[in-house]
Amino acid sequence: MTPQTAADPEFDEALRAALDADIEVLRQGARTWSHLTAGQRATLLRAVRASVAAAVEDWADTAADSKELDARHPLRGEEWLSGPYSVLGALDAYIDTLSEIAAGRSPLDRVAIGRAPGGRTRVGAFPLTRLDRLLLSGFTGEVWLQPGITPATARAAAGLAQRTADDIGGVGLVLGAGNITSIPVLDVLYELLAYNRVALLKVNPTQDALVPVYERALAPLIQPGFLRIVQGGAAVGAYLTAHRDLEHVHITGSAATFDTIVWGPSSGPKAGATTRRRRENRPLLTKPITAELGGVSPIIVVPGEWSDADIAFQAEHVATMRLQNSGHNCIAGQVVIMSSQWPQAEQFRAELRRAYAAAPERTTWYPGSTTRMHQAAEDYPDALVLADRLLVEVDDGQDATALQRTEYFAPVLGVVELPGTGQEFLDAAVAHANDRLQGTLGANLIIDPATERSLGTGFERAVAELRYGSIAINSWTAFGFITPTLTWGAFPGNTLDDVGSGIGVVHNALLLDGVERSVVRGPFRPFPRSLPGLNGGGRLTILPKPPWFVSSRTGTAVSAGLTRFRAHGGILLLIRTLLRALRA
């Protein structure tokens, strides 16, 4: 590890030599990796899984402490699910895929494949195990491939670089995210398995406290030279992105950082050269780059006849989409799109205000977020201002542009209204999300079962029209993030010059080619209102209030229990955890 932090930005010859030495180890490691069979890689990942399982307590505690969540804070459980739980799930899924390939099968041989609107193929990517069918009953996930890809083509192409495992993919640079602790690790795994690239991980300075945990958890990858972890600020990043021995760059971050890497600085003495490079289409970065860059995520609320309990539950759902991790998520819901003609609109607004205000307070910790919150307060002086969050209800005649074009990456939630009901409203909301909101990473859609049935095929047609890489129906797109067999990334079509929410996908543990989007569906009503006869024809689930809800009273205990069960097993632990979930 290079002992360089944002607090010590000096970039000298000793640091340069240390970075070069790490890269040389990785170049040797790339050749070693190419000699491993799929079965051997699966065995290696099992060793990684064991070391991650041994680190789950340290991982979650260090992450929570770094975000100023003390030992009694009710949202401390977020760091279990978004950290070690996510990584353990990904390792399990990749091990399954490699085992299928080692046995001479396609990763899709035992997966349901069907057709989606517009000539697309859909892959039933979740649930694939009996445990997921039990614990996450009512939740399903599909990967939709790009139009024209047939089921036969999908099966033949699944496996990506693991179909030619002896190819040397070289060394990739992963510029790690600063907000969610599983992201850097998941991005490293994707480099190894989708591209046969070993990885140099530069940790974001906000994650420096996690580096010792990462080093212990990922030791089976570090020891043979398949991974190196370094720290540092902008100078280290600039040196590495330009390094001739690094084949590829992957970044999780902001479009501004992406543009600086690809084109150069947009301000200061070198801004003129950047402008000329853009005009002449001469990027400063000459190697390939993929990226996940966030955006402004819509939450489309389709009007229907909801009970008081429905309204309260879904208001807490929407509050969670914004307030989880203090809004410091690339996939945090930011703009609620409602119908002005919904008879229950004002009741929902009132319940949303209550749920938004009642969520536990926490620190707005991510660098720059407080400044963006202040800007939002200036743009919308009539917004509801709470101790650590902002709710903007855009009235007729108000300009919603700032809300819809600025990714605040902070606890700022907005509400806009459109006319119409039924299909008319849904089509207008989809067009509004596509055309008015910045980015294409994820969209959320809430609809009751009776209204969805009344729309018939028009509902799925509207879903197909949403130009987003992840779509969640009666769920939050973060469920797609945490589900390893689904894909994560922007809707296809972005370019170096107009990168939007990014280029390429990650996660994708089935190693699918030609991905367009992932679609998650969840239950509209929780247990016990999800039981037949009570749910109005909706999906059955055994989950009461999910543990990731910011309003869950037992979220930390359940999240920790599920992670420990994922790591170590134990039926008694699982039973205790499920009993705690019933008290959420």
Side-chain angles (χ1 to χ4, degrees):
M1 182 191 79
T2 303
Q4 190 77 8
T5 68
D8 180 22
E10 183 179 351
F11 188 79
D12 56 19
E13 287 304 315
L15 175 57
R16 185 191 306 268
L19 293 171
D20 289 346
D22 282 336
I23 293 169
E24 183 56 35
V25 169
L26 290 168
R27 292 181 67 198
Q28 298 295 326
R31 288 187 277 272
T32 304
W33 178 261
S34 71
H35 291 298
L36 298 184
T37 66
Q40 289 170 324
R41 293 174 182 184
T43 298
L44 176 63
L45 291 193
R46 291 186 185 98
V48 177
R49 190 195 191 287
S51 58
V52 169
V56 295
E57 307 279 342
D58 252 3
W59 187 325
D61 288 342
T62 303
D65 291 344
S66 74
K67 297 179 182 182
E68 301 180 36
L69 299 172
D70 65 39
R72 296 185 301 274
H73 200 285
L75 298 181
R76 201 171 168 93
E78 292 177 357
E79 300 310 313
W80 288 86
L81 289 183
S82 65
Y85 182 91
S86 296
V87 172
L88 288 166
L91 288 165
D92 286 341
Y94 282 127
I95 289 167
D96 288 345
T97 291
L98 290 170
S99 298
E100 291 294 295
I101 293 171
R105 295 186 292 265
S106 166
L108 296 186
D109 279 355
R110 304 183 189 188
V111 176
I113 302 179
R115 288 296 195 176
R120 297 173 174 89
T121 290
R122 73 172 94 208
V123 177
F126 182 87
L128 297 178
T129 69
R130 283 178 292 183
L131 184 63
D132 284 338
R133 290 187 185 96
L134 170 67
L135 295 181
L136 295 166
S137 56
F139 289 85
T140 58
E142 301 172 339
V143 178
W144 291 15
L145 305 181
Q146 295 173 22
I149 297 177
T150 66
T153 302
R155 284 192 180 91
L160 297 179
Q162 299 310 303
R163 295 183 292 113
T164 54
D166 55 352
D167 286 351
I168 299 176
V171 184
L173 171 64
V174 173
L175 299 174
N179 59 329
I180 297 293
T181 63
S182 63
I183 293 177
V185 180
L186 297 176
D187 291 347
V188 164
L189 292 174
Y190 201 64
E191 286 289 295
L192 282 167
L193 298 168
Y195 301 110
N196 278 337
R197 278 195 293 261
V198 299
L200 178 66
L201 168 61
K202 191 191 89 65
V203 174
N204 188 292
T206 64
Q207 303 281 0
D208 280 351
L210 269 294
V211 170
V213 178
Y214 288 154
E215 290 179 328
R216 291 197 303 276
L218 303 176
L221 295 177
I222 294 171
Q223 290 162 359
F226 303 148
L227 171 65
R228 284 293 182 271
I229 301 173
V230 300
Q231 296 167 255
V236 173
Y239 179 71
L240 293 175
T241 55
H243 203 288
R244 65 181 182 182
D245 290 329
L246 296 178
E247 308 288 338
H248 178 267
V249 177
H250 177 78
I251 176 175
T252 299
S254 70
T257 302
F258 177 93
D259 285 344
T260 299
I261 292 170
V262 173
W263 300 102
S266 59
S267 60
K270 296 183 179 180
T274 299
T275 300
R276 285 193 298 275
R277 276 192 292 270
R278 278 186 175 275
R279 186 173 58 245
E280 298 167 4
N281 195 28
R282 293 186 297 104
L284 183 67
L285 184 74
T286 57
K287 62 193 65 169
I289 183 170
T290 52
E292 189 266 276
L293 305 174
V296 176
S297 293
I299 307 167
I300 299 172
V301 180
V302 182
E305 294 185 18
W306 295 9
S307 69
D308 292 347
D310 293 335
I311 289 175
F313 178 78
Q314 294 300 345
E316 292 179 16
H317 197 181
V318 171
T320 295
M321 295 182 196
R322 179 73 262 183
L323 294 178
Q324 199 270 355
N325 197 28
S326 197
H328 307 320
N329 291 330
C330 57
I331 201 57
Q334 182 165 307
V335 178
V336 180
I337 304 175
M338 293 174 52
S339 167
S340 59
Q341 296 174 248
W342 185 23
Q344 295 176 291
E346 185 49 46
Q347 184 184 357
F348 182 79
R349 279 175 174 266
E351 198 61 37
L352 179 58
R353 293 182 203 115
R354 184 205 62 78
Y356 201 67
E361 292 186 16
R362 61 176 300 167
T363 302
T364 303
W365 62 270
Y366 200 84
S369 293
T370 300
T371 299
R372 288 187 291 274
M373 282 188 69
H374 289 162
Q375 184 60 55
E378 289 181 13
D379 290 337
Y380 300 98
D382 295 330
L384 175 62
V385 181
L386 302 168
D388 64 339
R389 65 203 67 163
L390 197 69
L391 180 60
V392 179
E393 297 185 63
V394 179
D395 296 325
D396 286 343
Q398 267 192 304
D399 186 359
T401 301
L403 178 69
Q404 296 178 149
R405 304 301 300 176
T406 306
E407 183 189 6
Y408 290 113
F409 214 70
V412 179
L413 179 67
V415 181
V416 300
E417 287 190 339
L418 302 176
T421 58
Q423 192 72 49
E424 177 191 12
F425 166 80
L426 179 55
D427 290 344
V430 167
H432 189 93
N434 284 342
D435 300 337
R436 302 289 184 88
L437 273 59
Q438 186 271 328
T440 62
L441 184 62
N444 309 277
L445 200 155
I446 299 173
I447 185 169
D448 66 273
T451 301
E452 182 177 346
R453 283 195 304 274
S454 73
L455 298 180
T457 59
F459 177 73
E460 190 160 73
R461 175 184 54 75
V463 171
E465 289 296 319
L466 273 169
R467 295 193 298 271
Y468 287 84
S470 183
I471 297 171
I473 302 161
N474 293 333
S475 181
W476 176 26
T477 42
F479 188 91
F481 169 89
I482 209 172
T483 303
T485 46
L486 298 176
T487 58
W488 190 250
F491 195 80
N494 295 324
T495 64
L496 293 182
D497 195 45
D498 185 11
V499 72
S501 289
I503 298 170
V505 299
V506 289
H507 303 185
N508 189 23
L510 294 172
L511 299 177
L512 303 173
D513 197 13
V515 168
E516 183 184 70
R517 71 183 84 188
S518 286
V519 180
V520 173
R521 290 176 179 262
F524 180 73
R525 298 181 175 97
F527 182 85
R529 293 190 301 114
S530 66
L531 291 171
L534 299 177
N535 65 8
R539 293 174 166 226
L540 170 67
T541 180
I542 67 167
L543 269 182
K545 185 178 294 182
W548 54 84
F549 270 42
V550 293
S551 54
S552 173
R553 290 177 295 185
T554 59
T556 293
V558 173
S559 299
L562 288 174
T563 305
R564 292 184 181 114
F565 174 75
R566 185 114 214 181
H568 309 297
I571 189 64
L572 291 179
L573 171 61
L574 179 60
I575 291 171
R576 286 197 301 270
T577 300
L578 293 178
L579 290 175
R580 290 190 180 104
L582 292 174
R583 300 197 301 271

